[in-house]
Amino acid sequence: MTLTEKVQNTVSGQVTDASGTPLAGVNIVEKGTTNGTTSDFDGNYTININDNSTLVFSYIGFATQEVATAGKSNINVKLSEGMQLDEFIVVGSRTAPRSNADTPLPVDVIGAKDLSSTGQATFDKALQYKIPSFNTVQTPVNDATSLLDPYEIRNMGPSRTLILINGKRKNLSALLYTQTSPGRGETGADISAIPTDAIKRVEILRDGASAQYGSDAIAGVMNIILKDSPNEGSATIRTGITSEGDGEMFGVAVNNGSSIGEDKGFINYTVDLSKVNLANRPGTVSALGEADGNTGFGADLGVVQEFLSRRPDAGNINGSPETAAAKFEVNLGYELSENTKLYANAAYVYKKVNSFANYRTPYWRTVEDFPYLADFFPGENPNNAGGYDGYVPTFEGDLSDYNATIGFKTVKNDWNIDASFTTGGNSQTYKVNNTHNRNVVLSEITHNDINEDGVIDEGELVPGTNLYQENSPTSFDPGGTRFSHNVGNIDISKILSSKISIGIGAEFRVENFEVIEGGLASHDGGGADSFAGNQPENSGTWSRYNIGGYFDLAYDVNEDFLINGTIRTENYSDFGNAFVWKLSSRYKFADDKITLRGSVSTGFRAPTLHQIYTQKAQYSFSGGGIVVGGLVNNVSPQAQFLGIPKLDAEKSNNFTVGFGAKISNNFKFTVDYYNIAVKDRIVLSTEITGTAFDADGNNIGTNPLDDVLRDNNLADLSFFVNAIDTRTSGIDLVANYNNIELGSGVLNFSLAGNYTIQNERDGAVKNPELIENAGQSVVNATQEALFFTSRPVSKWILGANYELDKFAFSLNNTYFGKTTFQQGDLSPDLRTEFIPKIVTDLGVNFNATEKLTLALNINNIFNVLPEWEFKANNDAGTAIINDTSITASGLTQLQNESNAITFNQRYSQMTYDGYHFSQLGTMFNLSLNYKF
């Protein structure tokens, strides 16, 4: 034996909890190396290590324990329950998993207990009040977005955060956000569909990870780890109501587990059924604004005042829609042999949402213009025939979401092999009721319509009869969208030595996107009033595939110094290749109390099929004929006429540097700086119109853009384009101070914050030549605000937990910083700013017995609501704010501006385009949990 050789020793044993129950899945790692293993279903383990090493035993929910081997061949360990939820993580490494202290990347770990303690009804809203860099907001005008709220990490939009379930890619939603709201022009996975009771923990990698995981990981990765206990289970009953007496919530969830065979496997399943009633938060509508010809309808003021005296909110219904959901999740594993394990998980979610469009007041849709409305929608208005008093169209959505993975992990000659197949899909279909098709579409006569006597067959319409208006149905099927994918993965890793480990893998993915055609009446001539259906020429199914591969190398220079590098290449069938890389490092010193870490990487995001193929035409009359405008896709003839290029992938450069300090076992904190530069960011353009119009609204412009619009019978259009480069930078801070003895109890503090230093466009907008030459731009001030200033500049979460005997108290304060918006109908001299607010949540848990827990959550105990104010962009804006003179509409100029962006105060709390956080007032939640 040479001096450089080390003695190898085989150590085996069993890991149990304090009561002696075997613990499966405990991570056992040779300290200072990536050499490790896990305990089997009986808690047994075997590991080959260097002699005189130290083994580190870690398990979620238990205190980590280190044991010196000192030549021992058998070591049995008992782990005691602790608060170390972040000791061992899966996301962020393509070789061996590492403890959170050893990873060179910033990762947030949120346990199931932390999620449930928020009292929030859905997983995405729970994250809103736990992760500072995570934001989600409910859109004030619902339509299709009522089924799925946009979310984002680090102000990067929903499509730039990759969602994983047990380390495997979750399918995207079928919904493409096209409204003027955060996330416009993007799509993301439906994380609200995941039942909270099925989640063991959530790992959020706050760093670009395209090299490790592929597209969509520019802003980070969220890995949702499902519960895997065969022995634990519980039933939970939840109920709640807002301080306004609406938004009633009721839910029942069951999570349970069982062993398979002779303790060779496990199955853990969750069933979650819930119902949330409507919470309505309309404003008091301005009669003068309604009567005004600019911000309203140009109606007679007396008529408006009479209607509003009976309906001060103009009949509007907005806030939080009625939602019913059924969620099912199952997770299982089975030991096929000593070295091979089978694993699988599957989920299905059905969600039903009932929401409303803006109320059509009797001076908006009048009986003078549409006399048949008196028969369609009889009411109690004494001034109209049939008592017609307007109507409110409904929007009813049905969402189905499923995902499933099956795979196996095996060890062959010290090579760790993980092969899997994943499938998933999301469909959203709609119904529109209590409305009509108000357009004129005349019936035609053909030879088949006439019988032998030359008489029109019975039941046929007389030629020239309008198919709609008085003959219109009042219920419509607008169609919908579907998305699905199938993914094959193989990941192989090996620990080559005590210092070097490698990982290599490949992924093959097929994606399908479908636009479901709506019924004829839903789109014909312009379609149903409030929400037109998908036209046949815009409907269809499209697909693509991509194949990618990566290589990862981790080098532990010594026990303190780690270097990790990854390269990845992918090829897409519809736009070509992408090559990205990542380099990260970590250095620990001062007896592991201080850690320096950093990474630099490139990334990419492929355009989604939604962005490439979605086309929504809107019909209107112009010059005696029907013209079409709306969203045209990048492969359409219209796009080719305009010289709009096909979409390419976004490209990014990510830089992160930070440090962590472990002042003591109870006091830890991390600070990380990030800088994300995105090139060729995909945006949904503004509506491009002609450059000049006559009194009848006809396009009389003379430049090539006007010629293209006229030649193709287009009134206006929008499209997707790689239009801008952006740069986003900021700081994340996470600090925890635990186990403070106070009286007879224990107090824990946590502080987490995100501060945005820079979030802006980098360089000029990249307009297609035809658009640029016409003096127009695909990006306007409203879109810039959506991209860069519509999310809080800073967000901080200060939490405290106090445990005393059978009681546990939690107090959570979430600070939402300033946001700025430039609404499309607002004067360019003004902007709106949402004022910083602090939302305080209180939770009280009472452990009545070892099995029964009663929890009361009072969310937003001080009834804090979003609040905004006008700010001047220049001297002209200051003059508008200070001007108290009355305009022709009977209001000040500033009041007119306010009416323009709130639909005459219908959306006074949030403005028509959105706000910085969603709140319905104080919410009372009560839950009862019983452990099996």
Side-chain angles (χ1 to χ4, degrees):
M1 182 180 70
T2 66
L3 293 175
T4 58
E5 290 179 332
K6 295 184 177 180
V7 176
Q8 292 289 308
N9 186 27
T10 300
V11 175
S12 60
Q14 186 184 45
V15 187
T16 64
D17 63 14
S19 65
T21 302
L23 294 176
V26 175
N27 299 293
I28 303 104
V29 179
E30 182 180 3
K31 187 174 181 179
T33 75
T34 55
N35 178 31
T37 186
T38 58
S39 60
D40 63 18
F41 295 105
D42 295 319
N44 299 320
Y45 73 93
T46 300
I47 184 172
N48 293 321
I49 61 172
N50 294 312
D51 199 15
N52 295 320
S53 297
T54 297
L55 290 179
V56 180
F57 296 79
S58 60
Y59 191 59
I60 297 298
F62 290 79
T64 297
Q65 191 173 143
E66 295 186 5
V67 179
T69 61
K72 299 175 184 176
S73 60
N74 184 270
I75 299 176
N76 297 322
V77 173
K78 284 188 177 183
L79 297 182
S80 58
E81 292 191 36
M83 300 298 293
Q84 308 299 321
L85 286 173
D86 60 345
E87 284 293 340
F88 200 82
I89 58 174
V90 178
V91 72
S93 175
R94 281 302 196 174
T95 54
R98 295 179 177 272
S99 71
N100 206 7
D102 288 336
T103 178
L105 306 170
V107 178
D108 292 318
V109 181
I110 307 298
K113 186 177 180 181
D114 292 321
L115 292 172
S116 62
S117 70
T118 64
Q120 299 293 328
T122 57
F123 171 55
D124 57 332
K125 296 302 184 289
L127 288 180
Q128 169 85 339
Y129 291 92
K130 281 297 178 184
I131 305 296
S133 59
F134 180 92
N135 285 292
T136 182
V137 67
Q138 201 161 34
T139 53
V141 185
N142 292 312
D143 286 345
T145 55
S146 62
L147 290 162
L148 178 62
D149 295 331
Y151 62 87
E152 55 192 337
I153 291 179
R154 290 178 168 174
N155 303 305
M156 295 298 295
S159 62
R160 295 175 190 84
T161 298
L162 176 62
I163 308 299
L164 306 176
I165 304 289
N166 280 358
K168 308 301 179 182
R169 177 182 288 263
K170 177 166 171 52
N171 56 282
L172 293 175
S173 163
L175 175 64
L176 178 71
Y177 299 107
T178 57
Q179 290 184 317
T180 306
S181 66
R184 183 177 188 265
E186 301 186 32
T187 190
D190 185 2
I191 62 174
S192 67
I194 302 169
T196 305
D197 287 63
I199 299 173
K200 180 178 181 179
R201 70 182 188 272
V202 183
E203 302 171 350
I204 299 180
L205 171 61
R206 293 179 277 108
D207 193 38
S210 294
Q212 296 158 302
Y213 297 100
S215 179
D216 305 344
I218 284 178
V221 177
M222 182 186 300
N223 188 22
I224 300 165
I225 308 297
L226 302 176
K227 289 181 179 178
D228 54 7
S229 172
N231 304 315
E232 299 176 357
S234 67
T236 304
I237 299 175
R238 303 183 182 95
T239 186
I241 193 170
T242 73
S243 55
E244 298 292 325
D246 58 7
E248 301 93 333
M249 179 268 290
F250 181 79
V252 178
V254 174
N255 171 263
N256 201 13
S258 178
S259 297
I260 300 177
E262 298 178 356
D263 290 334
K264 286 184 173 294
F266 74 90
I267 182 170
N268 188 283
Y269 59 88
T270 304
V271 179
D272 188 315
L273 308 175
S274 64
K275 170 72 180 299
V276 180
N277 288 338
L278 171 73
N280 190 21
R281 297 294 183 272
T284 301
V285 175
S286 165
L288 291 173
E290 293 281 275
D292 184 57
N294 295 316
T295 62
F297 306 97
D300 180 83
L301 180 59
V303 172
V304 173
Q305 289 174 329
E306 190 281 330
F307 175 76
L308 294 180
S309 69
R310 292 179 287 108
R311 297 175 182 259
D313 56 11
N316 227 50
I317 303 173
N318 64 71
S320 177
E322 178 186 21
T323 304
K327 306 175 182 180
F328 306 90
E329 187 94 41
V330 62
N331 186 31
L332 64 91
Y334 186 76
E335 190 173 333
L336 298 174
S337 67
E338 183 178 351
N339 295 320
T340 304
K341 295 179 181 178
L342 175 74
Y343 63 88
N345 63 79
Y348 176 77
V349 173
Y350 173 77
K351 192 187 301 184
K352 175 74 174 179
V353 175
N354 295 325
S355 62
F356 300 88
N358 289 309
Y359 192 96
R360 271 55 179 167
T361 65
Y363 47 82
W364 180 2
R365 299 284 186 258
T366 68
V367 289
E368 288 77 18
D369 292 334
F370 307 101
Y372 60 90
L373 293 179
D375 297 322
F376 276 29
F377 309 110
E380 299 179 357
N381 189 335
N383 302 311
N384 287 327
Y388 170 68
D389 206 29
Y391 58 96
V392 57
T394 70
F395 182 89
E396 301 161 26
D398 291 271
L399 178 148
S400 294
D401 189 279
Y402 69 90
N403 62 269
T405 294
I406 186 170
F408 67 88
K409 294 180 180 180
T410 188
V411 179
K412 191 75 171 178
N413 297 326
D414 294 329
W415 287 93
N416 300 291
I417 302 170
D418 182 349
S420 65
F421 171 77
T422 298
T423 187
N426 181 279
S427 68
Q428 301 185 25
T429 55
Y430 316 122
K431 293 289 184 183
V432 175
N433 289 308
N434 204 51
T435 187
H436 61 114
N437 187 327
R438 60 191 176 92
N439 298 281
V440 175
V441 178
L442 302 180
S443 64
E444 297 179 356
I445 186 169
T446 66
H447 178 73
N448 293 330
D449 294 327
I450 304 174
N451 62 23
E452 295 177 354
D453 300 323
V455 179
I456 297 174
D457 287 335
E458 183 178 354
E460 297 291 343
L461 290 170
V462 175
T465 300
N466 185 11
L467 295 173
Y468 304 112
Q469 294 195 344
E470 66 272 13
N471 296 311
S472 170
T474 57
S475 181
F476 301 87
D477 177 12
T481 52
R482 290 193 186 98
F483 177 85
S484 64
H485 74 185
N486 293 304
V487 188
N489 288 99
I490 183 166
D491 301 291
I492 304 171
S493 64
K494 185 176 184 179
I495 300 171
L496 299 179
S497 70
S498 62
K499 293 182 178 295
I500 298 176
S501 56
I502 63 171
I504 188 171
E507 177 177 284
F508 183 82
R509 185 165 80 252
V510 177
E511 298 177 330
N512 294 278
F513 176 65
E514 179 183 3
V515 176
I516 305 168
E517 180 181 342
L520 177 64
S522 74
H523 59 75
D524 201 11
D529 185 24
S530 78
F531 191 87
N534 297 323
Q535 299 156 13
E537 60 268 31
N538 297 333
S539 305
T541 302
W542 301 272
S543 63
R544 71 174 176 198
Y545 68 87
N546 77 291
I547 186 169
Y550 70 87
F551 176 76
D552 188 287
L553 175 65
Y555 178 42
D556 286 87
V557 180
N558 54 46
E559 185 175 319
D560 299 319
F561 187 26
L562 165 70
I563 300 175
N564 196 170
T566 311
I567 58 173
R568 186 185 193 92
T569 182
E570 294 211 17
N571 179 268
Y572 282 76
S573 60
D574 52 356
F575 73 83
N577 297 317
F579 176 82
V580 291
W581 55 267
K582 182 171 185 175
L583 183 66
S584 58
S585 183
R586 176 226 69 217
Y587 181 70
K588 298 189 293 184
F589 58 95
D591 295 327
D592 294 348
K593 290 185 177 181
I594 305 294
T595 301
L596 300 179
R597 61 190 184 190
S599 71
V600 59
S601 64
T602 61
F604 78 102
R605 184 183 78 82
T608 65
L609 291 174
H610 316 56
Q611 293 173 324
I612 297 173
Y613 293 106
T614 295
Q615 183 155 292
K616 295 183 177 182
Q618 301 293 332
Y619 285 88
S620 60
F621 284 97
S622 178
I626 295 177
V627 297
V628 62
L631 171 60
V632 299
N633 66 40
N634 294 70
V635 294
S636 65
Q638 294 90 346
Q640 296 176 18
F641 293 142
L642 290 167
I644 301 170
K646 292 184 178 180
L647 292 178
D648 197 1
E650 300 177 350
K651 305 168 189 66
S652 71
N653 291 295
N654 292 59
F655 172 70
T656 300
V657 62
F659 72 93
K662 184 178 180 181
I663 307 302
S664 67
N665 288 333
N666 296 325
F667 183 33
K668 306 174 186 178
F669 71 89
T670 61
V671 179
D672 293 281
Y673 167 82
Y674 59 91
N675 191 302
I676 309 169
V678 181
K679 183 179 180 182
D680 297 330
R681 187 161 164 171
I682 299 171
V683 303
L684 175 56
S685 77
T686 59
E687 286 73 26
I688 305 299
T689 67
T691 60
F693 302 90
D694 62 18
D696 296 323
N698 296 314
N699 181 4
I700 57 173
T702 57
N703 64 43
L705 172 63
D706 296 294
D707 294 336
V708 169
L709 291 170
R710 280 193 298 266
D711 292 345
N712 291 276
N713 208 30
L714 292 170
D716 63 74
L717 57 85
S718 59
F719 48 87
F720 284 96
V721 61
N722 296 93
I724 57 176
D725 299 339
T726 65
R727 185 172 296 277
T728 304
S729 65
I731 294 176
D732 289 328
L733 180 145
V734 178
N736 294 282
Y737 191 9
N738 298 323
N739 299 321
I740 305 169
E741 293 185 3
L742 182 64
S744 301
V746 177
L747 180 65
N748 301 307
F749 279 108
S750 64
L751 174 65
N754 171 260
Y755 178 76
T756 302
I757 298 173
Q758 181 185 29
N759 192 25
E760 61 190 22
R761 174 163 50 87
D762 186 7
V765 176
K766 303 170 188 178
N767 288 305
E769 183 177 359
L770 200 64
I771 308 300
E772 183 78 24
N773 292 339
Q776 297 196 54
S777 177
V778 296
V779 175
N780 62 13
T782 297
Q783 287 181 300
E784 297 244 1
L786 284 176
F787 299 148
F788 306 126
T789 64
S790 63
R791 302 272 52 83
V793 172
S794 62
K795 182 181 167 189
W796 295 87
I797 302 172
L798 175 62
N801 299 284
Y802 183 63
E803 296 183 5
L804 177 65
D805 296 328
K806 293 186 176 184
F807 287 91
F809 304 89
S810 65
L811 189 67
N812 212 59
N813 294 280
T814 305
Y815 171 86
F816 293 92
K818 181 185 73 174
T819 69
T820 303
F821 203 71
Q822 186 73 47
Q823 288 85 351
D825 293 324
L826 186 64
S827 166
D829 302 319
L830 297 173
R831 67 181 185 276
T832 53
E833 285 188 3
F834 282 87
I835 300 168
K837 295 283 186 177
I838 297 176
V839 176
T840 303
D841 301 326
L842 174 66
V844 180
N845 278 28
F846 174 61
N847 298 312
T849 68
E850 290 184 358
K851 294 181 176 294
L852 183 63
T853 300
L854 184 67
L856 171 66
N857 287 87
I858 307 176
N859 293 335
N860 193 9
I861 60 177
F862 298 118
N863 197 31
V864 173
L865 300 175
E867 185 179 352
W868 57 271
E869 60 186 358
F870 285 115
K871 295 289 186 179
N873 291 329
N874 47 41
D875 290 341
T878 301
I880 294 174
I881 293 174
N882 294 332
D883 186 2
T884 59
S885 61
I886 303 300
T887 67
S889 63
L891 300 168
T892 66
Q893 188 173 349
L894 193 64
Q895 288 172 323
N896 282 333
E897 296 287 352
S898 178
N899 284 337
I901 64 172
T902 62
F903 199 173
N904 296 323
Q905 307 306 317
R906 284 171 174 80
Y907 300 90
S908 54
Q909 179 177 310
M910 70 288 286
T911 83
Y912 198 65
D913 299 296
Y915 43 170
H916 54 343
F917 64 91
S918 306
Q919 278 296 335
L920 302 170
T922 301
M923 184 79 184
F924 300 91
N925 296 299
L926 186 65
S927 67
L928 187 68
N929 178 269
Y930 183 79
K931 294 181 180 179
F932 301 138

